[in-house]
Amino acid sequence: MTRIEFMQGNVASAEGALAAGCTFFAGYPITPSTEVAEHMAAKLPKRGGVFIQMEDEIASIAAVIGASWTGARAMTATSGPGFSLMMENIGYAVMTETPCVIVNIQRGGPSTGQPTMSAQADMLQCRFGSHGDYSIIALAPASVQEMYELTAEAFNLADRFRVPVFVMADEIVGHMRERIEIPESVPVVGRRPLEPGMLPFRPGEDLVPGFPRFGSGFGVHVTGLTHDERGYPCATSPKVHEDLVKRLVEKVESKRHEIADYRVTNPDAEIVFVTYGSPARSVEQAIHDNPGLDIGHLRFRVVWPFPEKALGEFRNARAFIVPEQNLGQMAREIERHTRVPVIRLPRFGGALHTPEELVAAVEGVR
Amino acid sequence: MTFSDWLRVDRLPHIYCAGCGNGTVINCTLSAVDQMGWKKEETVFVSGIGCSSRAPGYIVTDSLHTTHGRALAFATGIKLANPSLNVVVFTGDGDLAAIGGNHFIHACRRNIDITVVCMNNMIYGMTGGQGSPTTPRMALSTTTPYGSVEPAFDLCELAIAAGANYVSRWTSYHVKELTRAILAGLRTPGLSFIEALVQCPTNYGRRNRYRQAIDQIEYFKEHGMLVEKARRLREEGKEIPPDTIILGELARRNRPAMGVKA
């Protein structure tokens, strides 16, 4: 039975993870993500899971990756500075095709910045922050309900594609409290195990190899070095490296339209807001308050891989307005995929766009 | 079964230089693991980056060759998520004591039930012979061309102070003792730390007056002193030469541990 609760976003994220079968959490306290860890610390041991507070964020993501190789659904939660520290090991997770979930409750940066204020300033870091070419999946919740749903879904995507999956929330959705409907269960699609006799890094038709869980007798060697399909280091062959890295990118990018998840409001509109996360709420309020204004709204729940086809849903679009809690990180990506003018509407420093300034922006375009 | 049954023969020959001491430590470790009667599918080897850290790649069990300095953090995740797995970490002095120093301290503090074998060659071998936290004072390296001016870390003292349950030091000369020490470490619940001093003829030896690999092994033999003798000499008020290598079992205790198999 669906349960109605009044819950904080960070807690909802932890609850979504638990519903998805997360049994391992390693983390390091950092504002404004800490409630995710605190909730997991309270809940996981009672369910036979493991919570550990590591010595830093580098160790946290390392422990998550180690736990994932035992077959556990494993996650961590952090914010900007901790996220930066995790980047080398996130690249390791990409290279070794380790499923894991990283929740980033974004705060203002650069550096220590604004620990208690909201931002969406790590959107490019999650896509490009580690070294080398790769692709990942990132989700962007805009409500407490979505903190729950998208964190749970992140585990399914991580297992299916064997990549790190990011829940790129902002402080506003992390710390707000609102009504949430908790379903009896959430869909759980785990990783496909490696079949006996198969090579551990030979991909199937979907470009994703089966998973050889530690302790199941495969004797698999896992390395961050460029490796062949046996998993053996092969760091000096241009062909092996090219084949591997192309596949790591393709296994996600070739499914971008399947992974895509967005909401369309008023597809006939000429002026369209494109949002993800908290700014979506101001846009919804502006639409609600101004029914005669004829504005459209495209809201991404998945931001990476970038669902560029979504822009095509608005055939009459004359302008895309992109309110973001940064200087235009996703607006740049939207510009790459449309000939329609893209208007950046940055509002950062912690304040959220007001419906009034959004309406003013629409008037400015007209 | 013998230790050689644990080797991933299709990956041989290994990448180690002629005369390297790491092979000796791998053999001693596998002998000890073999004597434990562990099953291959229940055993995981973990490492960071460096010459020592290539060792798991030559062993047939599940193995994780991770990022520089972070092996203990990865191993912590494996052991806590599945305590029924036996986890052994290979590491080197640069990997463990420099970039991984904080993870080392905290793994010892948690006293997590893994065995750490440190191949200490007192140099960064894989990157061509730069100074490390265990490079002795006045030793030559590419980054200490006039002799190292930094005091060196005593990794065993560090492990003891941080809380490890078992700590022992030997060298590549003392193969029987080293094997026994690793075996004792594998049997001890909690974190076991075994430091093995090894010769690095290519990058340490040739810059520091050891003309052949055997010369540095001779040095270990001549400068090694059992911890019991060192204690006796201290009690008698006698001086212990500063270049003495204290060998033997330095700590064995039963502090509360994490990740111990139920």
Side-chain angles (χ1 to χ4, degrees):
Chain A
M1 248 207 15
T2 303
R3 203 167 81 236
I4 309 291
E5 288 207 22
F6 187 67
M7 193 178 276
Q8 191 201 53
N10 283 347
V11 173
S13 177
E15 282 291 324
L18 292 167
C22 174
T23 55
F24 188 94
F25 185 101
Y28 187 81
I30 182 167
T31 305
S33 76
T34 311
E35 294 86 358
V36 184
E38 287 171 340
H39 196 71
M40 292 303 247
K43 288 290 169 83
L44 269 175
K46 288 184 176 174
R47 297 167 174 238
V50 175
F51 170 88
I52 183 162
Q53 183 172 320
M54 294 298 285
E55 52 272 20
D56 56 33
E57 286 89 348
I58 300 172
S60 301
I61 182 71
V64 162
I65 294 168
S68 178
W69 275 97
T70 72
R73 283 195 149 184
M75 81 179 278
T76 185
T78 189
S79 189
F83 198 56
S84 300
L85 283 177
M86 289 181 182
M87 275 303 153
E88 185 197 11
N89 281 341
I90 285 168
Y92 180 87
V94 168
M95 193 58 147
T96 56
E97 302 183 71
T98 309
C100 54
V101 172
I102 299 123
V103 176
N104 181 354
I105 313 297
Q106 296 168 82
R107 63 194 238 179
S111 189
T112 314
Q114 293 176 294
T116 61
M117 302 296 267
S118 185
Q120 295 177 306
D122 307 339
M123 302 309 295
L124 296 180
Q125 190 185 192
C126 83
R127 175 64 185 83
F128 299 105
S130 198
H131 52 284
D133 289 294
Y134 61 93
S135 188
I136 51 87
I137 298 172
L139 315 177
S143 65
V144 171
Q145 186 75 44
E146 286 189 344
M147 288 294 275
Y148 182 93
E149 287 169 10
L150 294 184
T151 305
E153 180 57 19
F155 286 93
N156 292 340
L157 290 165
D159 277 358
R160 177 176 164 202
F161 291 98
R162 286 184 61 182
V163 286
V165 174
F166 301 84
V167 179
M168 298 299 290
D170 50 74
E171 185 272 345
I172 292 170
V173 287
H175 276 164
M176 73 160 53
R177 287 173 168 81
E178 64 182 354
R179 182 184 186 275
I180 173 176
E181 292 179 10
I182 296 186
E184 195 156 318
S185 65
V186 296
V188 172
V189 186
R191 31 194 116 147
R192 181 167 53 81
L194 183 66
E195 285 165 28
M198 291 292 288
L199 293 176
F201 290 94
R202 176 169 291 171
E205 266 177 35
D206 61 354
L207 302 180
V208 182
F211 187 80
R213 179 175 57 79
F214 278 10
S216 62
F218 284 104
V220 61
H221 181 56
V222 180
T223 175
L225 285 167
T226 296
H227 46 271
D228 61 21
E229 293 183 339
R230 297 171 300 177
Y232 294 0
C234 187
T236 52
S237 160
K239 175 149 186 4
V240 169
H241 185 78
E242 189 180 320
D243 288 352
L244 174 61
V245 174
K246 272 188 172 169
R247 179 175 67 76
L248 294 179
V249 172
E250 275 304 298
K251 71 176 179 179
V252 176
E253 295 295 325
S254 65
K255 298 288 186 333
R256 60 164 59 218
H257 303 303
E258 232 175 275
I259 301 167
D261 185 354
Y262 51 84
R263 298 285 185 266
V264 171
T265 307
N266 197 4
D268 298 326
E270 293 187 345
I271 298 177
V272 180
F273 282 103
V274 186
T275 69
Y276 55 95
S278 294
R281 304 172 71 96
S282 297
V283 170
E284 279 164 16
Q285 189 67 44
I287 291 173
H288 176 268
D289 294 348
N290 303 275
L293 208 53
D294 188 34
I295 38 183
H297 186 194
L298 171 61
R299 179 167 79 82
F300 295 133
R301 278 158 44 106
V302 169
V303 288
W304 303 113
F306 185 75
E308 79 270 7
K309 270 191 182 169
L311 299 169
E313 304 266 357
F314 296 87
R315 290 168 189 276
N316 306 324
R318 283 197 298 115
F320 290 116
I321 306 177
V322 188
E324 290 183 90
Q325 295 172 49
N326 59 49
L327 269 173
Q329 295 194 8
M330 294 306 292
R332 179 204 300 253
E333 190 68 16
I334 294 162
E335 277 168 355
R336 291 190 340 111
H337 291 101
T338 180
R339 291 181 186 168
V340 172
V342 174
I343 295 148
R344 296 173 190 216
L345 203 57
R347 186 93 164 89
F348 63 111
L352 186 59
H353 306 76
T354 62
E356 292 72 29
E357 70 184 283
L358 296 176
V359 172
V362 173
E363 307 291 355
V365 178
R366 289 207 172 110
Chain B
M1 202 160 66
T2 69
F3 75 88
S4 55
D5 292 334
W6 291 79
L7 290 174
R8 200 184 280 276
V9 283
D10 63 340
R11 278 217 64 211
L12 299 176
H14 53 68
I15 61 161
Y16 295 125
C17 305
C20 173
N22 286 358
T24 307
V25 182
I26 295 171
N27 285 2
C28 292
T29 307
L30 292 180
S31 288
V33 166
D34 197 51
Q35 288 177 55
M36 289 298 286
W38 285 351
K39 289 182 184 159
K40 287 173 185 160
E41 59 269 27
E42 293 170 353
T43 306
V44 180
F45 286 87
V46 185
S47 64
I49 295 293
C51 299
S52 63
S53 298
R54 290 301 190 97
Y58 302 115
I59 300 171
V60 288
T61 65
D62 290 322
S63 49
L64 203 60
H65 175 226
T66 69
T67 48
H68 191 36
R70 317 299 175 194
L72 286 170
F74 282 88
T76 299
I78 294 170
K79 186 67 184 172
L80 287 182
N82 187 355
S84 67
L85 294 171
N86 307 304
V87 180
V88 181
V89 174
F90 282 117
T91 183
D93 44 310
D95 193 48
L96 182 81
I99 188 164
N102 199 32
H103 306 306
F104 182 36
I105 294 168
H106 288 278
C108 291
R109 171 180 67 82
R110 293 188 183 104
N111 209 7
I112 184 138
D113 187 26
I114 56 181
T115 299
V116 183
V117 179
C118 176
M119 303 170 190
N120 180 3
N121 59 7
M122 297 162 284
I123 201 105
Y124 283 83
M126 190 158 272
T127 43
Q130 296 77 31
S132 91
T134 58
T135 300
R137 272 177 76 88
M138 298 321 293
L140 300 175
S141 75
T142 62
T143 51
T144 58
Y146 310 112
S148 173
V149 294
E150 296 181 21
F153 243 139
D154 183 328
L155 301 180
C156 289
E157 290 295 336
L158 187 62
I160 294 166
N165 257 355
Y166 180 87
V167 179
S168 190
R169 181 191 290 120
W170 293 100
T171 80
S172 52
Y173 171 77
H174 303 89
V175 287
K176 294 242 167 73
E177 295 88 341
L178 178 60
T179 305
R180 278 200 293 270
I182 296 169
L183 187 60
L186 297 174
R187 283 184 178 141
T188 308
L191 193 132
S192 309
F193 178 67
I194 297 98
E195 178 183 6
L197 292 170
V198 289
Q199 72 280 9
C200 169
T202 304
N203 278 318
Y204 188 85
R206 73 186 164 98
R207 289 192 181 88
N208 289 286
R209 80 189 175 276
Y210 304 110
R211 295 188 63 84
Q212 298 180 60
I214 191 72
D215 294 344
Q216 201 176 352
I217 300 173
E218 287 286 342
Y219 180 90
F220 293 150
K221 178 185 167 190
E222 283 160 16
H223 290 76
M225 181 188 288
L226 281 175
V227 61
E228 290 82 4
K229 183 180 176 185
R231 278 188 199 125
R232 196 176 69 237
L233 289 176
R234 277 197 205 100
E235 278 165 16
E236 292 168 3
K238 290 186 180 144
E239 194 122 322
I240 297 170
D243 53 358
T244 302
I245 306 165
I246 308 290
L247 302 173
E249 192 173 289
L250 305 173
R252 187 205 283 258
R253 54 197 175 187
N254 193 21
R255 291 189 170 187
M258 284 182 77
V260 179
K261 206 188 302 188

